[in-house]
Amino acid sequence: MADGNGRVGIKEAVTGMAGHLRKSQVWNSIFRPGSPMRSDNSDSPRNRSYVVMNNVLYHLHPVKVKRHGVRLSYTLCLGGLSFFLFILLTITGIFLMFYYRPTSPQAYFDMQALATDIAFGQLVRNMHRWGAHVMVLTVFLHMTRVFYHGAYKPPREFNWVVGIVLLLLTLLLSFTGYLLPWDQLALWAVTVGSNMAAYTPVFGDQVTFALIGGIQITADTLLRWYVLHVLFLPFIIVIFMAVHFWRVRKDGGLSGPL
Amino acid sequence: MPQLPEHLLRRSAEAKAKAQGRPVEEILAEMKGEEAPAAPAQGTGDRDQVTGGEGRDLDAEAGKYGVPRPLLERAMFARAKADGTAVPAMAGAPAEQAAAVSSQASAAAAVAAPAAPVGPPPGVRTQRLLTVVKAGAIQGTGTEPQDKVNVWPHLLAIEFVALLAMLAFLTLLSAYVDAPLLEFANFNEQPNPSKAPWYFLGLQELLAYFDPQVAGVIIPGFGVAALAFIPYIDRNPSIRPADRKFAISLFTVFFVGASVLTIFGSFFRGPGFNFVFPWTDGIFFDDLRTILE
Ligand code: HEM
């Protein structure tokens, strides 16, 4: 619309352009039919199905779920939140990797630099650390809610076992990350933790040696745990998560209602 | 025609009768065709009496209903035979075809009356009913219809809100409380107390009571194994809490025990991992020290 002077206002120009964009071939090639992002979308049962079915989301969610399953009080969203925290930890972790060197003493200095030299460095580090603690909690509580719902009973037995593997991997991810700041807290907490492994019957020494890459914690341990933390364990946990989510659907969606 | 059990034929006839609104007996006879000896005696030879009744224009009917004329003819004969009435005159039948039909029919009737099978007219394909399967046996899935809702918008909206709430919580926490960073790692100076990460403090607490072999290896080892095998140990199929009192009690003991041990190791252990009261002696828990300060 033109204002009194015959000029087009900024607001009108922007809405007009957005309208064109939403009708363009480029836009429609990105958002498949049924998507609420499309200009030709309307709210109908069919389109509601298409939102999921025509979307990469279909890898995670079916079109419909049992009514009790969407009640917040059933899952408390704990599994979903565990997954979200994993994504968040991946994003913040990649950010941290740009500024971190897994060697001594640089590792420690890099942690200090995050607080002083790098924009949002401390914030991202905080989110990564608190997020990791919270994830251990949500995963554990998720297991608890699954137990109380008896959701491990046939046909879901194996998914419970996969879940236990996920729990162990979550703990290992958290524990390997614990060493990386290379401060007193990291060094001695990990010392106490890995000393427990030395009590493994028969193979105690070998287990410790493999774990910390020597007979005591050194900068070599730092590199070893770094690789486990940023590459190996995430890789493994993603595979198990894929199996976990796949099984939730193949086992007939959520269990219950009670 | 293969021998079909009588009850299956009957059921099929009943269904057809219901669908077409005709008497069951009539359809049953039609289905059994010439095999059925039930037709009244004078009915068997009616095929060549192409006289009487109102005349039917089969060609016109074939065009109108889209049914091949030979089929119409056959149906007409069959019905006439079953009813014991005369076949109506066929108008518009090509002379030689009508003749062929009637001579074939009369020959058959003459040779093998009353149960002579009549083959299909030329050009008509027949189908054999091999078996009758109840629909439920193949298609029935045995599941009851369930009360379901669309993932979009119902589930996705909730997930999105949960995600935002968690993100907001973490961002706020991180904006106000820094992650701990103590002094540079020093191999020669062990802090007192030295504590494992908080999620292992329950185990470290156990070390205060048991031999390291027991607390560090046997209990966690068997604990994890027992957890993993829960579905194969607990064979009770019910998920109703009232039916699972034992399992629930056991897990609750585990859950409360693990929590208490962890809290104990975190807050009630001070220098030398000796017992302290957090409210009088202070908290020796570095994981949360920046939060608690
Ligand atoms: C990284 C860790 C994990 C992630 C990301 C995760 C994710 C999920 C998600 C998103 C669901 C869908 C329902 C819900 O949100 O509650 C689910 C269901 C389930 N999870 Fe997990 N999970 C994890 C760990 C575990 C653990 C430790 C266990 C048990 C030992 C477990 C056992 C199960 C079972 C049996 C179901 C099916 C529940 C039902 O049908 O009601 N998961 N998981």
Side-chain angles (χ1 to χ4, degrees):
Chain A
M1 274 3 94
D3 63 14
N5 303 326
R7 283 179 309 197
V8 176
I10 293 193
K11 197 174 156 212
E12 284 78 21
V14 169
T15 23
M17 249 158 59
H20 274 302
L21 185 65
R22 267 161 60 89
K23 286 198 189 68
S24 70
Q25 186 185 357
V26 175
W27 190 268
N28 283 340
S29 71
I30 299 172
F31 299 103
R32 306 194 61 213
S35 166
M37 303 298 284
R38 280 171 76 115
S39 56
D40 59 359
N41 182 64
S42 60
D43 188 27
S44 65
R46 186 158 166 250
N47 276 347
R48 286 181 174 201
S49 306
Y50 278 157
V51 171
V52 178
M53 218 186 333
N54 271 351
N55 196 298
V56 70
L57 266 180
Y58 204 30
H59 284 288
L60 283 180
H61 278 311
V63 165
K64 288 190 169 194
V65 291
K66 296 176 209 156
R67 187 181 291 279
H68 76 274
V70 305
R71 279 208 322 266
L72 197 57
S73 57
Y74 192 71
T75 64
L76 303 171
C77 236
L78 285 167
L81 282 178
S82 307
F83 181 53
F84 171 61
L85 283 166
F86 177 75
I87 305 281
L88 196 70
L89 288 165
T90 308
I91 295 170
T92 51
I94 290 173
F95 177 95
L96 296 174
M97 282 176 74
F98 283 115
Y99 304 104
Y100 178 84
R101 287 161 292 174
T103 51
S104 179
Q106 283 87 345
Y108 183 74
F109 298 147
D110 292 342
M111 300 314 286
Q112 289 181 324
L114 277 172
T116 53
D117 300 356
I118 295 156
F120 298 113
Q122 183 70 43
L123 180 76
V124 176
R125 178 179 168 224
N126 294 345
M127 288 177 78
H128 194 75
R129 189 169 186 110
W130 300 133
H133 286 334
V134 174
M135 180 171 168
V136 173
L137 264 183
T138 56
V139 171
F140 191 77
L141 292 178
H142 168 61
M143 175 180 86
T144 309
R145 96 91 189 138
V146 168
F147 181 89
Y148 283 120
H149 284 162
Y152 55 82
K153 307 208 167 188
R156 299 184 176 78
E157 309 101 302
F158 185 64
N159 214 18
W160 169 272
V161 180
V162 172
I164 295 290
V165 174
L166 285 173
L167 174 68
L168 295 180
L169 286 170
T170 307
L171 289 176
L172 277 177
L173 268 165
S174 184
F175 190 46
T176 50
Y178 211 93
L179 182 65
L180 304 184
W182 206 233
D183 63 347
Q184 282 289 74
L185 180 57
L187 176 63
W188 292 100
V190 167
T191 306
V192 171
S194 51
N195 275 350
M196 287 190 196
Y199 295 116
T200 313
V202 191
F203 302 109
D205 290 344
Q206 285 83 348
V207 169
T208 322
F209 193 90
L211 199 62
I212 63 180
I215 35 186
Q216 67 168 45
I217 294 180
T218 63
D220 290 344
T221 318
L222 191 55
L223 178 59
R224 176 169 298 226
W225 284 35
Y226 175 73
V227 174
L228 289 177
H229 184 73
V230 304
L231 221 57
F232 182 74
L233 292 172
F235 176 66
I236 304 289
I237 205 172
V238 162
I239 292 176
F240 276 90
M241 279 188 190
V243 175
H244 194 59
F245 301 158
W246 182 77
R247 278 299 295 248
V248 170
R249 286 181 65 174
K250 289 294 151 183
D251 293 340
L254 287 194
S255 62
L258 288 184
Chain B
M1 202 179 179
Q3 284 299 311
L4 269 183
E6 179 71 24
H7 69 280
L8 285 184
L9 264 183
R10 182 147 201 108
R11 200 162 62 202
S12 159
E14 273 163 7
K16 205 163 169 188
K18 198 170 155 211
Q20 301 180 349
R22 291 160 54 198
V24 178
E25 297 307 328
E26 179 185 326
I27 301 217
L28 200 57
E30 200 173 282
M31 287 168 89
K32 290 189 193 164
E34 282 71 27
E35 270 174 77
Q42 108 267 33
T44 50
D46 282 350
R47 219 150 267 241
D48 29 8
Q49 304 175 6
V50 204
T51 53
E54 348 70 283
R56 284 173 68 180
D57 186 346
L58 287 187
D59 279 331
E61 281 180 40
K64 185 169 162 205
Y65 301 120
V67 179
R69 184 192 149 98
L71 279 187
L72 283 178
E73 250 164 46
R74 202 150 79 107
M76 191 170 73
F77 282 129
R79 186 165 311 162
K81 187 176 140 198
D83 300 349
T85 56
V87 176
M90 291 182 288
E96 77 250 42
Q97 195 191 334
V101 168
S102 70
S103 69
Q104 180 201 2
S106 61
V111 173
V118 172
V124 174
R125 292 215 206 161
T126 58
Q127 292 177 340
R128 278 206 302 180
L129 181 62
L130 291 181
T131 181
V132 176
V133 180
K134 276 176 94 173
I138 296 181
Q139 298 157 338
T141 53
T143 49
E144 284 160 25
Q146 279 176 326
D147 189 12
K148 291 199 164 191
V149 292
N150 273 102
V151 163
W152 168 263
H154 303 290
L155 181 57
L156 287 184
I158 291 177
E159 283 179 342
F160 190 60
V161 170
L163 178 160
L164 284 184
M166 175 59 82
L167 188 61
F169 166 71
L170 276 181
T171 312
L172 279 177
L173 179 64
S174 303
Y176 288 104
V177 192
D178 284 347
L181 186 69
L182 310 190
E183 309 80 52
F184 183 72
N186 184 347
F187 292 94
N188 301 314
E189 191 194 313
Q190 176 162 16
N192 188 8
S194 292
K195 290 192 178 182
W198 65 268
Y199 36 86
F200 289 150
L201 282 183
L203 291 180
Q204 199 176 347
E205 180 64 23
L206 283 180
L207 276 176
Y209 311 117
F210 299 105
D211 182 73
Q213 289 270 346
V214 176
V217 182
I218 297 185
I219 293 181
F222 278 92
V224 169
L227 272 182
F229 276 100
I230 282 177
Y232 307 100
I233 299 169
D234 175 8
R235 311 301 287 267
N236 171 7
S238 171
I239 60 168
R240 288 182 52 234
D243 300 338
R244 307 175 58 218
K245 292 207 174 91
F246 181 67
I248 287 182
S249 322
L250 215 58
F251 192 86
T252 308
V253 168
F254 159 75
F255 183 81
V256 174
S259 312
V260 166
L261 284 174
T262 305
I263 291 172
F264 215 81
S266 307
F267 296 103
F268 292 82
R269 292 287 177 178
F273 216 65
N274 290 318
F275 181 84
V276 293
F277 283 115
W279 44 89
T280 53
D281 308 309
I283 297 175
F284 300 85
F285 184 36
D286 284 335
D287 274 333
L288 293 187
R289 95 192 221 152
T290 48
I291 289 187
L292 298 171
E293 261 165 18

